[in-house]
């Protein structure tokens, strides 16, 4: 017997949780969280077995678990993961990807934005005044120009070199990139069809918007759920949700609830409400739900609460241990 995961999950204090073991050829057993790269583990999921795969990928926004990723590497990861889903999703089943539609990241190739933030300037002296003074007194040095305009030599230098731009002189510019189109293309290439798109309106992420105060851009306060369908029979059972659940969520294009603020367990933890709504809407009791970037295990917890089977993967042993703990706890709490 070999441990299937690429790395072993950290032991969970005080709990005995069965570790997932199988031979190299066997398909992965459900109701388990596995440690390893999604690209390896997805190949071990039983073909046509997953009714719903719901996940949120690394966002390429500098979280600790994605520091090694380049934008190209991020695209390769998502393209491959999406394509590996096609054989394992049941005909008529769904792949739902949660992501912010806009990524913001440093790109050294981006031309410098001449965004001079005048509201944070300490000296009112403008670049135009410095250039006019230089023209009027071509023989003046920086010290003399500073005395003439009543500011520091540093202000003269900064204004003359125009390096009061956003991000400073040496920092690469922040580039924004839409991701919905990329995800749609990768899923379509894999054989899926775009079925729906919803927006999860959360709370404004001021902390994530380092660039916000230095530009006219908005803060990040909603994310999308892209719903892809694998051709096949899809049972539409309106009884899955109560009447008020349809009117409050099931039929609505926007879902409103807060994100997780404390991030004690994981930097990008879902509120359980998010996977719970998706699972209730797009799968039936006893169906298999997959999250191949499971993090702290919220999707698996939601699957347990909703009476579904689950499989989860994560690259980081600590998250795998957290997810296992979470599942163990949910199983203890669920009424018999
Ligand atoms: C956005 S977070 C998911 C958070 C999760 N939804 C939760 O509620 O906690 C993405 C996760 O993907 C994991 N990850 C990154 N690259 C991976 C890979 N190649 N294979 C498996 N997991 C990976 C990271 O460790 C991280 O936990």
């Amino acid at each position: 017997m070999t441990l299937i995961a690429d790395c072993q999950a950290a032991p969970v204090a005080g709990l005995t949780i069965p570790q997932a073991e199988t031979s190299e050829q066997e398909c992965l057993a459900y109701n388990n969280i596995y440690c390893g790269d999604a690209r390896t583990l997805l190949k071990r999921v039983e073909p046509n077995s997953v009714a719903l795969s719901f996940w949120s990928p690394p966002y390429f926004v500098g979280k600790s678990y994605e520091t090694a990723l380049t934008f190209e590497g991020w695209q390769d990861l998502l393209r491959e993961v999406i394509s590996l889903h096609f054989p394992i999703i049941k005909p008529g089943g769904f792949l739902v990807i949660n992501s912010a539609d806009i990524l913001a990241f440093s790109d050294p190739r981006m031309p410098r934005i001449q965004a001079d933030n005048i509201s944070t300037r300490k000296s009112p002296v403008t670049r135009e005044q410095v250039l006019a003074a230089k023209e009027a007194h071509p023989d003046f040095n920086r010290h003399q120009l500073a005395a003439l305009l009543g500011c520091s030599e540093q202000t003269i230098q900064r204004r003359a070199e125009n390096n009061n731009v956003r991000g400073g002189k040496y920092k690469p510019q922040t580039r924004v990139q839409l991701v919905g189109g990329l995800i749609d293309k990768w899923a379509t290439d894999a054989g899926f069809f775009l079925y729906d798109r919803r927006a999860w309106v959360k709370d404004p992420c001021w902390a994530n918007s380092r660039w916000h105060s230095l530009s006219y851009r908005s803060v990040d306060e909603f994310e999308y759920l892209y719903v892809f369908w694998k051709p096949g029979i899809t049972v539409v059972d309106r009884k899955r949700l109560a009447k008020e659940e349809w009117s409050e969520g099931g039929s609505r294009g926007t879902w409103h609830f807060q994100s997780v603020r404390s991030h004690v367990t994981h930097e990008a933890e879902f509120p359980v409400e998010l996977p719970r709504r998706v699972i209730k809407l797009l799968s039936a009791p006893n169906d298999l739900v997959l999250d191949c970037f499971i993090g702290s295990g919220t999707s698996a917890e939601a699957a347990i609460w909703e009476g579904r089977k689950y499989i989860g993967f994560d690259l980081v042993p600590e998250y795998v241990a957290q997810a296992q703990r979470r599942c163990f706890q949910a199983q203890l709490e669920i009424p018999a």
Side-chain angles (χ1 to χ4, degrees), residues 36-38 56-57 65 266 268 270 293-296 298 314-316 319:
D37 192 311
S56 168
Y65 53 78
H266 193 289
F270 285 153
F293 298 110
I294 192 118
S296 59
T298 40
D314 206 284
L315 207 49
V316 178
Y319 295 152

Side-chain angles (χ1 to χ4, degrees), residues 66-84:
E66 58 192 24
T67 43
L69 269 186
T70 60
F71 184 51
E72 285 67 32
W74 178 83
Q75 293 181 82
D76 291 345
L77 170 68
L78 258 74
R79 190 186 299 112
E80 190 174 347
V81 162
I82 290 171
S83 112
L84 287 168

Side-chain angles (χ1 to χ4, degrees), residues 107-125:
D107 186 346
R109 293 165 305 173
M110 170 126 170
R112 214 165 76 167
I113 296 173
Q114 301 299 300
D116 193 354
N117 188 349
I118 54 172
S119 51
T120 58
R121 265 194 204 161
K122 292 202 178 91
S123 164
V125 171

Side-chain angles (χ1 to χ4, degrees), residues 23-198:
S23 81
E24 293 294 336
Q25 284 72 38
E26 264 180 80
C27 287
L28 300 177
Y30 55 77
N31 292 344
N32 264 314
I33 308 290
Y34 298 88
C35 183
D37 192 311
R39 289 163 291 193
T40 309
L41 295 175
L42 282 166
K43 295 177 187 150
R44 311 282 315 275
V45 177
E46 189 181 336
N48 299 316
S49 66
V50 176
L52 166 67
S53 182
F54 174 54
W55 41 266
S56 168
Y59 280 9
F60 190 64
V61 288
K63 303 271 185 201
S64 59
Y65 53 78
E66 58 192 24
T67 43
L69 269 186
T70 60
F71 184 51
E72 285 67 32
W74 178 83
Q75 293 181 82
D76 291 345
L77 170 68
L78 258 74
R79 190 186 299 112
E80 190 174 347
V81 162
I82 290 171
S83 112
L84 287 168
H85 268 77
F86 196 77
I88 60 171
I89 300 263
K90 266 175 142 167
F94 294 101
L95 163 63
V96 182
I97 302 175
N98 160 239
S99 175
D101 193 41
I102 197 163
L103 281 178
F105 56 94
S106 292
D107 186 346
R109 293 165 305 173
M110 170 126 170
R112 214 165 76 167
I113 296 173
Q114 301 299 300
D116 193 354
N117 188 349
I118 54 172
S119 51
T120 58
R121 265 194 204 161
K122 292 202 178 91
S123 164
V125 171
T126 64
R127 173 170 160 80
E128 289 67 34
Q129 285 171 315
V130 172
L131 295 182
K134 278 182 98 157
E135 204 179 316
H137 306 279
D139 50 333
F140 271 24
N141 62 23
R142 232 188 281 156
H143 176 72
Q144 290 165 308
L145 287 170
L148 179 72
L149 293 173
C151 63
S152 69
E153 288 181 44
Q154 199 187 28
T155 299
I156 297 292
Q157 185 188 4
R158 280 199 182 141
R159 302 289 188 273
E161 291 175 10
N162 207 9
N163 81 14
N164 262 31
V165 295
R166 174 174 173 266
K169 190 176 174 187
Y170 302 108
K171 278 198 185 160
Q173 294 296 303
T174 303
R175 159 137 172 234
V176 292
Q177 161 82 50
L178 289 178
V179 295
L182 296 173
I183 290 176
D184 185 25
K185 179 175 183 334
W186 298 328
T188 306
D189 289 349
F192 291 104
F193 287 81
L194 184 64
Y195 181 88
D196 197 6
R197 182 199 64 176
R198 293 175 191 241

Side-chain angles (χ1 to χ4, degrees), residues 143-298:
H143 176 72
Q144 290 165 308
L145 287 170
L148 179 72
L149 293 173
C151 63
S152 69
E153 288 181 44
Q154 199 187 28
T155 299
I156 297 292
Q157 185 188 4
R158 280 199 182 141
R159 302 289 188 273
E161 291 175 10
N162 207 9
N163 81 14
N164 262 31
V165 295
R166 174 174 173 266
K169 190 176 174 187
Y170 302 108
K171 278 198 185 160
Q173 294 296 303
T174 303
R175 159 137 172 234
V176 292
Q177 161 82 50
L178 289 178
V179 295
L182 296 173
I183 290 176
D184 185 25
K185 179 175 183 334
W186 298 328
T188 306
D189 289 349
F192 291 104
F193 287 81
L194 184 64
Y195 181 88
D196 197 6
R197 182 199 64 176
R198 293 175 191 241
W200 165 35
V201 182
K202 42 183 193 170
D203 33 343
C205 293
W206 304 104
N208 280 350
S209 304
R210 289 185 297 279
W211 38 273
H212 165 77
S213 58
L214 295 161
S215 76
Y216 298 116
R217 288 164 173 157
S218 59
V219 291
D220 167 25
E221 54 191 330
F222 63 93
E223 298 185 4
Y224 281 121
L225 302 175
Y226 301 106
V227 183
F228 297 99
W229 172 75
K230 175 167 168 175
I233 306 284
T234 302
V235 176
V236 176
D237 177 5
R238 297 286 298 181
K239 295 202 194 76
R240 267 184 203 167
L241 302 188
K243 205 169 165 220
E244 58 281 4
E245 287 176 309
W246 279 111
S247 55
E248 282 162 18
S251 307
R252 304 297 302 273
T254 56
W255 289 350
H256 296 252
F257 43 86
Q258 282 191 345
S259 56
V260 174
R261 288 174 170 197
S262 63
H263 296 311
V264 181
T265 41
H266 193 289
E267 281 182 80
E269 185 179 344
F270 285 153
V272 180
E273 180 68 8
L274 185 67
R276 205 165 173 173
R277 281 193 187 199
V278 177
I279 289 168
K280 270 193 103 168
L281 184 69
L282 296 175
S283 69
N286 230 20
D287 271 349
L288 178 58
V289 173
L290 167 71
D291 182 338
C292 62
F293 298 110
I294 192 118
S296 59
T298 40

